[in-house]
Amino acid sequence: MMPKFFTPSEVAESLKVSEQTVRRWLREGKIGGVKLSLGARSEWRISEDQFNEFIQERTIPKRKEK
C-alpha cells in the first residue's frame, strides 16, 4: 500500500500552526519530509509516518497519579 503524504498546509491546519512554521521545521529537520523538484519550483511533502513520529516525539506522557 502506498504511504499517505501531506502538504505543509495540511500539517499546519492539523496542528493549528502557520504553514511558515511547518516549512521552518522542515528546513531545520525537526519534521521529516521530502522536497520534490517541480521544474522551476519545489514542494515539500510529509509522509503520514513522519508526521506521526513528529507528534510522538513531542507528546508529553501523562503523569502517574499516586
Short mmCIF file of all heavy atoms in Angstrom, two decimals:
data_model
loop_
_atom_site.label_atom_id
_atom_site.label_comp_id
_atom_site.label_asym_id
_atom_site.label_seq_id
_atom_site.Cartn_x
_atom_site.Cartn_y
_atom_site.Cartn_z
N MET A 1 0.84 -1.19 0.00
CA MET A 1 0.00 0.00 0.00
C MET A 1 0.88 1.25 0.00
O MET A 1 1.88 1.32 0.70
CB MET A 1 -0.91 -0.02 1.23
CG MET A 1 -1.90 1.10 1.23
SD MET A 1 -3.30 0.84 2.34
CE MET A 1 -2.61 1.38 3.88
N MET A 2 0.50 2.22 -0.78
CA MET A 2 1.26 3.47 -0.88
C MET A 2 1.09 4.29 0.40
O MET A 2 -0.02 4.39 0.92
CB MET A 2 0.77 4.30 -2.07
CG MET A 2 1.13 3.74 -3.41
SD MET A 2 2.89 3.89 -3.74
CE MET A 2 3.07 5.64 -3.85
N PRO A 3 2.19 4.89 0.87
CA PRO A 3 2.06 5.75 2.05
C PRO A 3 1.28 7.02 1.71
O PRO A 3 1.29 7.47 0.56
CB PRO A 3 3.51 6.07 2.42
CG PRO A 3 4.29 5.82 1.19
CD PRO A 3 3.56 4.80 0.39
N LYS A 4 0.63 7.56 2.70
CA LYS A 4 -0.11 8.81 2.53
C LYS A 4 0.84 9.97 2.80
O LYS A 4 1.65 9.92 3.71
CB LYS A 4 -1.29 8.85 3.50
CG LYS A 4 -2.15 10.07 3.34
CD LYS A 4 -3.38 10.00 4.20
CE LYS A 4 -4.20 11.25 4.01
NZ LYS A 4 -5.42 11.24 4.79
N PHE A 5 0.74 11.02 1.99
CA PHE A 5 1.58 12.20 2.15
C PHE A 5 0.72 13.43 2.37
O PHE A 5 -0.39 13.53 1.85
CB PHE A 5 2.46 12.42 0.91
CG PHE A 5 3.59 11.45 0.82
CD1 PHE A 5 3.43 10.23 0.20
CD2 PHE A 5 4.83 11.76 1.36
CE1 PHE A 5 4.47 9.32 0.13
CE2 PHE A 5 5.88 10.88 1.29
CZ PHE A 5 5.70 9.64 0.68
N PHE A 6 1.26 14.36 3.18
CA PHE A 6 0.59 15.62 3.46
C PHE A 6 1.42 16.79 2.94
O PHE A 6 2.64 16.72 2.91
CB PHE A 6 0.41 15.80 4.98
CG PHE A 6 -0.37 14.70 5.63
CD1 PHE A 6 0.26 13.74 6.39
CD2 PHE A 6 -1.75 14.63 5.50
CE1 PHE A 6 -0.45 12.72 7.01
CE2 PHE A 6 -2.48 13.62 6.11
CZ PHE A 6 -1.83 12.66 6.86
N THR A 7 0.74 17.86 2.62
CA THR A 7 1.42 19.11 2.27
C THR A 7 1.71 19.87 3.57
O THR A 7 1.07 19.62 4.60
CB THR A 7 0.54 19.99 1.37
OG1 THR A 7 -0.62 20.38 2.11
CG2 THR A 7 0.14 19.27 0.09
N PRO A 8 2.65 20.82 3.53
CA PRO A 8 2.87 21.65 4.72
C PRO A 8 1.59 22.36 5.18
O PRO A 8 1.35 22.49 6.38
CB PRO A 8 3.93 22.65 4.27
CG PRO A 8 4.69 21.91 3.23
CD PRO A 8 3.64 21.10 2.49
N SER A 9 0.76 22.74 4.25
CA SER A 9 -0.50 23.40 4.59
C SER A 9 -1.42 22.47 5.37
O SER A 9 -2.05 22.88 6.35
CB SER A 9 -1.19 23.87 3.30
OG SER A 9 -2.43 24.45 3.58
N GLU A 10 -1.50 21.21 4.97
CA GLU A 10 -2.36 20.24 5.66
C GLU A 10 -1.84 19.96 7.08
O GLU A 10 -2.63 19.86 8.02
CB GLU A 10 -2.44 18.95 4.86
CG GLU A 10 -3.21 19.10 3.56
CD GLU A 10 -3.09 17.90 2.65
OE1 GLU A 10 -2.02 17.24 2.61
OE2 GLU A 10 -4.08 17.62 1.95
N VAL A 11 -0.52 19.86 7.22
CA VAL A 11 0.07 19.64 8.54
C VAL A 11 -0.19 20.86 9.43
O VAL A 11 -0.57 20.73 10.59
CB VAL A 11 1.57 19.33 8.43
CG1 VAL A 11 2.25 19.33 9.80
CG2 VAL A 11 1.78 17.98 7.74
N ALA A 12 0.00 22.05 8.86
CA ALA A 12 -0.22 23.28 9.62
C ALA A 12 -1.66 23.37 10.11
O ALA A 12 -1.91 23.70 11.28
CB ALA A 12 0.11 24.49 8.75
N GLU A 13 -2.60 23.04 9.25
CA GLU A 13 -4.01 23.09 9.63
C GLU A 13 -4.30 22.09 10.74
O GLU A 13 -5.00 22.40 11.71
CB GLU A 13 -4.89 22.79 8.41
CG GLU A 13 -6.36 22.93 8.69
CD GLU A 13 -7.20 22.69 7.44
OE1 GLU A 13 -6.75 23.04 6.34
OE2 GLU A 13 -8.30 22.15 7.61
N SER A 14 -3.74 20.91 10.63
CA SER A 14 -3.97 19.87 11.64
C SER A 14 -3.42 20.27 13.00
O SER A 14 -4.04 19.99 14.02
CB SER A 14 -3.30 18.57 11.18
OG SER A 14 -3.39 17.59 12.16
N LEU A 15 -2.26 20.93 13.02
CA LEU A 15 -1.62 21.31 14.27
C LEU A 15 -1.98 22.72 14.74
O LEU A 15 -1.52 23.17 15.79
CB LEU A 15 -0.09 21.21 14.12
CG LEU A 15 0.45 19.80 13.86
CD1 LEU A 15 1.95 19.86 13.63
CD2 LEU A 15 0.12 18.88 15.02
N LYS A 16 -2.78 23.42 13.95
CA LYS A 16 -3.19 24.80 14.28
C LYS A 16 -1.98 25.73 14.43
O LYS A 16 -1.88 26.51 15.38
CB LYS A 16 -4.03 24.84 15.56
CG LYS A 16 -5.23 23.91 15.55
CD LYS A 16 -6.26 24.37 14.55
CE LYS A 16 -7.55 23.57 14.71
NZ LYS A 16 -7.93 22.87 13.50
N VAL A 17 -1.05 25.61 13.47
CA VAL A 17 0.11 26.50 13.39
C VAL A 17 0.15 27.05 11.97
O VAL A 17 -0.60 26.61 11.10
CB VAL A 17 1.44 25.78 13.73
CG1 VAL A 17 1.43 25.26 15.16
CG2 VAL A 17 1.73 24.66 12.75
N SER A 18 1.03 28.01 11.72
CA SER A 18 1.11 28.57 10.38
C SER A 18 1.89 27.64 9.45
O SER A 18 2.72 26.84 9.89
CB SER A 18 1.77 29.95 10.41
OG SER A 18 3.16 29.81 10.63
N GLU A 19 1.62 27.76 8.17
CA GLU A 19 2.35 26.99 7.17
C GLU A 19 3.83 27.36 7.20
O GLU A 19 4.70 26.51 7.01
CB GLU A 19 1.76 27.25 5.78
CG GLU A 19 2.38 26.38 4.70
CD GLU A 19 1.72 26.56 3.36
OE1 GLU A 19 0.59 27.10 3.28
OE2 GLU A 19 2.36 26.17 2.36
N GLN A 20 4.13 28.63 7.47
CA GLN A 20 5.52 29.08 7.60
C GLN A 20 6.25 28.30 8.69
O GLN A 20 7.41 27.94 8.54
CB GLN A 20 5.58 30.57 7.93
CG GLN A 20 5.73 31.46 6.74
CD GLN A 20 5.96 32.89 7.20
OE1 GLN A 20 5.40 33.34 8.22
NE2 GLN A 20 6.77 33.61 6.48
N THR A 21 5.57 28.05 9.80
CA THR A 21 6.16 27.30 10.90
C THR A 21 6.52 25.89 10.45
O THR A 21 7.62 25.39 10.71
CB THR A 21 5.21 27.26 12.10
OG1 THR A 21 5.00 28.60 12.57
CG2 THR A 21 5.76 26.40 13.23
N VAL A 22 5.61 25.22 9.75
CA VAL A 22 5.86 23.86 9.26
C VAL A 22 7.04 23.87 8.29
O VAL A 22 7.92 23.01 8.36
CB VAL A 22 4.60 23.25 8.62
CG1 VAL A 22 4.90 21.89 8.01
CG2 VAL A 22 3.48 23.14 9.64
N ARG A 23 7.09 24.84 7.40
CA ARG A 23 8.20 24.92 6.44
C ARG A 23 9.53 25.15 7.17
O ARG A 23 10.55 24.60 6.78
CB ARG A 23 7.94 26.00 5.41
CG ARG A 23 6.80 25.64 4.46
CD ARG A 23 6.59 26.70 3.38
NE ARG A 23 5.48 26.33 2.54
CZ ARG A 23 5.53 25.48 1.53
NH1 ARG A 23 6.68 24.90 1.24
NH2 ARG A 23 4.47 25.20 0.82
N ARG A 24 9.51 25.94 8.24
CA ARG A 24 10.73 26.15 9.02
C ARG A 24 11.16 24.85 9.69
O ARG A 24 12.34 24.50 9.68
CB ARG A 24 10.52 27.25 10.06
CG ARG A 24 11.82 27.61 10.80
CD ARG A 24 11.64 28.69 11.84
NE ARG A 24 10.95 28.14 13.00
CZ ARG A 24 9.76 28.53 13.44
NH1 ARG A 24 9.09 29.50 12.84
NH2 ARG A 24 9.21 27.97 14.50
N TRP A 25 10.21 24.12 10.27
CA TRP A 25 10.52 22.82 10.89
C TRP A 25 11.15 21.88 9.86
O TRP A 25 12.07 21.14 10.18
CB TRP A 25 9.27 22.18 11.46
CG TRP A 25 8.68 22.86 12.66
CD1 TRP A 25 9.30 23.73 13.51
CD2 TRP A 25 7.35 22.72 13.16
NE1 TRP A 25 8.44 24.14 14.51
CE2 TRP A 25 7.24 23.53 14.32
CE3 TRP A 25 6.25 21.99 12.74
CZ2 TRP A 25 6.06 23.63 15.05
CZ3 TRP A 25 5.08 22.08 13.47
CH2 TRP A 25 4.98 22.89 14.61
N LEU A 26 10.63 21.89 8.63
CA LEU A 26 11.19 21.05 7.58
C LEU A 26 12.63 21.45 7.27
O LEU A 26 13.51 20.59 7.20
CB LEU A 26 10.33 21.15 6.31
CG LEU A 26 9.01 20.39 6.36
CD1 LEU A 26 8.02 20.95 5.35
CD2 LEU A 26 9.24 18.91 6.15
N ARG A 27 12.86 22.74 7.10
CA ARG A 27 14.23 23.22 6.81
C ARG A 27 15.20 22.89 7.93
O ARG A 27 16.35 22.54 7.69
CB ARG A 27 14.22 24.73 6.57
CG ARG A 27 13.68 25.17 5.24
CD ARG A 27 13.96 26.64 4.95
NE ARG A 27 13.58 27.52 6.04
CZ ARG A 27 12.39 28.06 6.21
NH1 ARG A 27 11.41 27.79 5.37
NH2 ARG A 27 12.13 28.87 7.22
N GLU A 28 14.73 22.98 9.17
CA GLU A 28 15.57 22.73 10.34
C GLU A 28 15.69 21.23 10.67
O GLU A 28 16.43 20.86 11.57
CB GLU A 28 15.00 23.47 11.56
CG GLU A 28 15.09 24.98 11.42
CD GLU A 28 14.35 25.73 12.54
OE1 GLU A 28 13.65 25.08 13.36
OE2 GLU A 28 14.48 26.96 12.59
N GLY A 29 14.94 20.40 9.98
CA GLY A 29 14.99 18.96 10.21
C GLY A 29 14.21 18.50 11.43
O GLY A 29 14.39 17.38 11.89
N LYS A 30 13.34 19.35 11.96
CA LYS A 30 12.54 18.97 13.13
C LYS A 30 11.43 17.99 12.76
O LYS A 30 11.00 17.20 13.58
CB LYS A 30 11.94 20.22 13.79
CG LYS A 30 13.00 21.08 14.44
CD LYS A 30 12.40 22.27 15.13
CE LYS A 30 13.50 23.08 15.80
NZ LYS A 30 12.97 24.26 16.48
N ILE A 31 10.96 18.10 11.53
CA ILE A 31 9.99 17.14 10.99
C ILE A 31 10.56 16.66 9.66
O ILE A 31 11.13 17.45 8.90
CB ILE A 31 8.58 17.78 10.83
CG1 ILE A 31 7.55 16.72 10.42
CG2 ILE A 31 8.58 18.93 9.88
CD1 ILE A 31 6.12 17.20 10.47
N GLY A 32 10.44 15.37 9.44
CA GLY A 32 10.98 14.80 8.20
C GLY A 32 10.06 15.07 7.03
O GLY A 32 8.84 15.16 7.18
N GLY A 33 10.65 15.19 5.88
CA GLY A 33 9.86 15.39 4.67
C GLY A 33 10.71 15.17 3.44
O GLY A 33 11.92 14.97 3.54
N VAL A 34 10.08 15.17 2.30
CA VAL A 34 10.79 15.07 1.03
C VAL A 34 10.49 16.33 0.23
O VAL A 34 9.39 16.86 0.26
CB VAL A 34 10.38 13.81 0.22
CG1 VAL A 34 10.85 12.56 0.90
CG2 VAL A 34 8.90 13.76 -0.03
N LYS A 35 11.52 16.81 -0.45
CA LYS A 35 11.37 18.00 -1.26
C LYS A 35 11.34 17.56 -2.72
O LYS A 35 12.31 16.99 -3.22
CB LYS A 35 12.53 18.97 -1.00
CG LYS A 35 12.26 20.37 -1.48
CD LYS A 35 13.32 21.31 -0.97
CE LYS A 35 12.93 22.74 -1.20
NZ LYS A 35 13.94 23.66 -0.70
N LEU A 36 10.22 17.79 -3.37
CA LEU A 36 10.04 17.40 -4.76
C LEU A 36 10.36 18.56 -5.67
O LEU A 36 9.88 19.68 -5.47
CB LEU A 36 8.58 16.97 -5.00
CG LEU A 36 8.04 15.89 -4.06
CD1 LEU A 36 6.55 15.72 -4.29
CD2 LEU A 36 8.78 14.59 -4.27
N SER A 37 11.19 18.31 -6.66
CA SER A 37 11.53 19.34 -7.63
C SER A 37 10.50 19.32 -8.74
O SER A 37 10.32 18.30 -9.42
CB SER A 37 12.93 19.08 -8.20
OG SER A 37 13.25 20.07 -9.14
N LEU A 38 9.82 20.42 -8.91
CA LEU A 38 8.77 20.52 -9.93
C LEU A 38 9.14 21.62 -10.92
O LEU A 38 8.54 22.69 -10.94
CB LEU A 38 7.42 20.81 -9.27
CG LEU A 38 6.97 19.83 -8.19
CD1 LEU A 38 5.73 20.34 -7.48
CD2 LEU A 38 6.70 18.47 -8.81
N GLY A 39 10.16 21.36 -11.72
CA GLY A 39 10.62 22.36 -12.67
C GLY A 39 11.32 23.49 -11.95
O GLY A 39 12.29 23.27 -11.24
N ALA A 40 10.81 24.70 -12.10
CA ALA A 40 11.44 25.88 -11.50
C ALA A 40 11.11 26.02 -10.02
O ALA A 40 11.69 26.85 -9.33
CB ALA A 40 11.00 27.13 -12.25
N ARG A 41 10.20 25.23 -9.51
CA ARG A 41 9.83 25.33 -8.10
C ARG A 41 9.95 23.96 -7.44
O ARG A 41 10.12 22.95 -8.09
CB ARG A 41 8.42 25.89 -7.94
CG ARG A 41 7.36 25.00 -8.51
CD ARG A 41 5.98 25.67 -8.51
NE ARG A 41 5.02 24.74 -9.08
CZ ARG A 41 4.11 24.09 -8.38
NH1 ARG A 41 4.00 24.30 -7.09
NH2 ARG A 41 3.28 23.26 -8.96
N SER A 42 9.86 23.97 -6.13
CA SER A 42 9.89 22.71 -5.39
C SER A 42 8.82 22.74 -4.32
O SER A 42 8.39 23.81 -3.88
CB SER A 42 11.27 22.48 -4.78
OG SER A 42 11.59 23.51 -3.89
N GLU A 43 8.39 21.56 -3.92
CA GLU A 43 7.33 21.43 -2.92
C GLU A 43 7.70 20.37 -1.90
O GLU A 43 8.29 19.36 -2.25
CB GLU A 43 6.01 21.01 -3.59
CG GLU A 43 5.35 22.09 -4.40
CD GLU A 43 4.78 23.20 -3.55
OE1 GLU A 43 4.33 22.94 -2.42
OE2 GLU A 43 4.77 24.34 -4.03
N TRP A 44 7.37 20.63 -0.64
CA TRP A 44 7.59 19.67 0.43
C TRP A 44 6.39 18.73 0.55
O TRP A 44 5.25 19.14 0.35
CB TRP A 44 7.75 20.38 1.76
CG TRP A 44 9.05 21.06 1.97
CD1 TRP A 44 9.30 22.40 1.83
CD2 TRP A 44 10.28 20.47 2.39
NE1 TRP A 44 10.61 22.66 2.14
CE2 TRP A 44 11.24 21.49 2.49
CE3 TRP A 44 10.66 19.16 2.70
CZ2 TRP A 44 12.54 21.25 2.88
CZ3 TRP A 44 11.96 18.92 3.09
CH2 TRP A 44 12.89 19.96 3.18
N ARG A 45 6.68 17.47 0.95
CA ARG A 45 5.65 16.52 1.31
C ARG A 45 6.10 15.80 2.57
O ARG A 45 7.27 15.46 2.73
CB ARG A 45 5.38 15.49 0.21
CG ARG A 45 4.81 16.09 -1.07
CD ARG A 45 3.41 16.66 -0.84
NE ARG A 45 2.83 17.18 -2.06
CZ ARG A 45 2.92 18.44 -2.45
NH1 ARG A 45 3.58 19.32 -1.73
NH2 ARG A 45 2.34 18.83 -3.55
N ILE A 46 5.18 15.54 3.48
CA ILE A 46 5.46 14.88 4.75
C ILE A 46 4.63 13.59 4.76
O ILE A 46 3.41 13.64 4.61
CB ILE A 46 5.06 15.77 5.94
CG1 ILE A 46 5.86 17.08 5.91
CG2 ILE A 46 5.27 15.05 7.27
CD1 ILE A 46 5.04 18.28 5.65
N SER A 47 5.31 12.45 4.95
CA SER A 47 4.57 11.18 4.98
C SER A 47 3.80 11.09 6.29
O SER A 47 4.15 11.71 7.30
CB SER A 47 5.50 9.99 4.82
OG SER A 47 6.25 9.78 6.00
N GLU A 48 2.78 10.25 6.27
CA GLU A 48 1.98 10.03 7.48
C GLU A 48 2.86 9.49 8.60
O GLU A 48 2.72 9.89 9.76
CB GLU A 48 0.84 9.06 7.16
CG GLU A 48 -0.14 8.88 8.28
CD GLU A 48 -1.35 8.07 7.87
OE1 GLU A 48 -1.26 7.28 6.91
OE2 GLU A 48 -2.40 8.25 8.51
N ASP A 49 3.80 8.60 8.27
CA ASP A 49 4.72 8.06 9.28
C ASP A 49 5.59 9.16 9.88
O ASP A 49 5.80 9.20 11.10
CB ASP A 49 5.62 6.98 8.68
CG ASP A 49 4.87 5.69 8.41
OD1 ASP A 49 3.75 5.50 8.94
OD2 ASP A 49 5.40 4.85 7.65
N GLN A 50 6.11 10.06 9.04
CA GLN A 50 6.95 11.16 9.54
C GLN A 50 6.14 12.10 10.42
O GLN A 50 6.62 12.57 11.45
CB GLN A 50 7.57 11.93 8.37
CG GLN A 50 8.62 11.14 7.63
CD GLN A 50 8.98 11.79 6.32
OE1 GLN A 50 8.12 12.20 5.54
NE2 GLN A 50 10.28 11.90 6.07
N PHE A 51 4.91 12.35 10.03
CA PHE A 51 4.04 13.22 10.82
C PHE A 51 3.75 12.58 12.18
O PHE A 51 3.87 13.24 13.22
CB PHE A 51 2.74 13.48 10.05
CG PHE A 51 1.76 14.35 10.77
CD1 PHE A 51 2.06 15.67 11.08
CD2 PHE A 51 0.53 13.86 11.16
CE1 PHE A 51 1.15 16.48 11.75
CE2 PHE A 51 -0.39 14.65 11.83
CZ PHE A 51 -0.07 15.97 12.13
N ASN A 52 3.40 11.29 12.18
CA ASN A 52 3.12 10.60 13.44
C ASN A 52 4.35 10.55 14.34
O ASN A 52 4.24 10.71 15.56
CB ASN A 52 2.59 9.19 13.17
CG ASN A 52 1.19 9.21 12.59
OD1 ASN A 52 0.42 10.13 12.82
ND2 ASN A 52 0.87 8.20 11.81
N GLU A 53 5.52 10.34 13.75
CA GLU A 53 6.76 10.31 14.53
C GLU A 53 7.02 11.68 15.17
O GLU A 53 7.39 11.77 16.34
CB GLU A 53 7.93 9.94 13.62
CG GLU A 53 9.25 9.82 14.33
CD GLU A 53 10.37 9.41 13.39
OE1 GLU A 53 10.16 8.51 12.57
OE2 GLU A 53 11.45 10.02 13.48
N PHE A 54 6.79 12.74 14.43
CA PHE A 54 6.95 14.10 14.93
C PHE A 54 6.06 14.32 16.15
O PHE A 54 6.49 14.85 17.18
CB PHE A 54 6.61 15.10 13.82
CG PHE A 54 6.64 16.53 14.23
CD1 PHE A 54 7.84 17.21 14.33
CD2 PHE A 54 5.47 17.22 14.49
CE1 PHE A 54 7.87 18.56 14.71
CE2 PHE A 54 5.49 18.56 14.86
CZ PHE A 54 6.70 19.22 14.97
N ILE A 55 4.81 13.88 16.05
CA ILE A 55 3.85 14.03 17.15
C ILE A 55 4.30 13.20 18.36
O ILE A 55 4.30 13.69 19.50
CB ILE A 55 2.43 13.61 16.71
CG1 ILE A 55 1.93 14.51 15.59
CG2 ILE A 55 1.47 13.60 17.89
CD1 ILE A 55 1.80 15.97 15.96
N GLN A 56 4.67 11.94 18.14
CA GLN A 56 5.08 11.06 19.23
C GLN A 56 6.29 11.61 19.98
O GLN A 56 6.35 11.53 21.21
CB GLN A 56 5.40 9.65 18.69
CG GLN A 56 4.19 8.85 18.31
CD GLN A 56 3.29 8.58 19.50
OE1 GLN A 56 3.75 8.31 20.60
NE2 GLN A 56 1.99 8.64 19.29
N GLU A 57 7.26 12.15 19.25
CA GLU A 57 8.47 12.68 19.88
C GLU A 57 8.18 13.88 20.77
O GLU A 57 8.93 14.17 21.68
CB GLU A 57 9.48 13.10 18.81
CG GLU A 57 10.13 11.93 18.10
CD GLU A 57 11.01 12.37 16.94
OE1 GLU A 57 11.02 13.58 16.60
OE2 GLU A 57 11.69 11.50 16.38
N ARG A 58 7.08 14.55 20.52
CA ARG A 58 6.76 15.77 21.26
C ARG A 58 5.61 15.60 22.24
O ARG A 58 5.20 16.55 22.89
CB ARG A 58 6.46 16.90 20.28
CG ARG A 58 7.75 17.41 19.66
CD ARG A 58 7.56 17.99 18.30
NE ARG A 58 8.83 18.42 17.77
CZ ARG A 58 9.73 17.62 17.20
NH1 ARG A 58 9.49 16.34 17.08
NH2 ARG A 58 10.87 18.09 16.73
N THR A 59 5.10 14.40 22.34
CA THR A 59 3.99 14.14 23.26
C THR A 59 4.54 13.96 24.67
O THR A 59 5.45 13.17 24.91
CB THR A 59 3.23 12.87 22.84
OG1 THR A 59 2.70 13.09 21.52
CG2 THR A 59 2.08 12.57 23.78
N ILE A 60 3.97 14.69 25.59
CA ILE A 60 4.38 14.60 27.00
C ILE A 60 3.56 13.49 27.64
O ILE A 60 2.32 13.52 27.60
CB ILE A 60 4.14 15.94 27.71
CG1 ILE A 60 4.98 17.04 27.04
CG2 ILE A 60 4.45 15.82 29.20
CD1 ILE A 60 4.64 18.43 27.51
N PRO A 61 4.24 12.51 28.24
CA PRO A 61 3.48 11.41 28.86
C PRO A 61 2.66 11.91 30.05
O PRO A 61 3.02 12.85 30.73
CB PRO A 61 4.56 10.44 29.32
CG PRO A 61 5.85 11.14 29.18
CD PRO A 61 5.66 12.37 28.38
N LYS A 62 1.54 11.23 30.26
CA LYS A 62 0.70 11.57 31.42
C LYS A 62 1.44 11.24 32.69
O LYS A 62 2.15 10.24 32.77
CB LYS A 62 -0.60 10.76 31.37
CG LYS A 62 -1.62 11.30 30.46
CD LYS A 62 -2.90 10.52 30.66
CE LYS A 62 -4.06 11.22 30.00
NZ LYS A 62 -5.30 10.48 30.21
N ARG A 63 1.26 12.07 33.68
CA ARG A 63 1.85 11.82 34.99
C ARG A 63 1.04 10.76 35.70
O ARG A 63 -0.20 10.78 35.63
CB ARG A 63 1.88 13.09 35.82
CG ARG A 63 2.84 14.12 35.24
CD ARG A 63 2.80 15.39 36.01
NE ARG A 63 3.26 15.16 37.37
CZ ARG A 63 3.39 16.11 38.27
NH1 ARG A 63 3.07 17.34 37.99
NH2 ARG A 63 3.82 15.83 39.48
N LYS A 64 1.70 9.86 36.34
CA LYS A 64 1.01 8.82 37.10
C LYS A 64 0.47 9.42 38.38
O LYS A 64 1.17 10.13 39.10
CB LYS A 64 1.95 7.67 37.41
CG LYS A 64 2.37 6.91 36.19
CD LYS A 64 3.26 5.76 36.55
CE LYS A 64 3.70 5.03 35.31
NZ LYS A 64 4.58 3.91 35.63
N GLU A 65 -0.77 9.12 38.66
CA GLU A 65 -1.38 9.59 39.90
C GLU A 65 -1.03 8.63 41.02
O GLU A 65 -1.00 7.42 40.82
CB GLU A 65 -2.89 9.70 39.74
CG GLU A 65 -3.27 10.80 38.78
CD GLU A 65 -4.77 10.99 38.72
OE1 GLU A 65 -5.45 10.76 39.75
OE2 GLU A 65 -5.26 11.36 37.66
N LYS A 66 -0.78 9.16 42.19
CA LYS A 66 -0.41 8.32 43.34
C LYS A 66 -1.61 7.91 44.12
O LYS A 66 -2.60 8.47 44.19
CB LYS A 66 0.57 9.07 44.25
CG LYS A 66 1.87 9.33 43.54
CD LYS A 66 2.80 10.04 44.48
CE LYS A 66 4.10 10.33 43.76
NZ LYS A 66 5.06 10.98 44.59
#
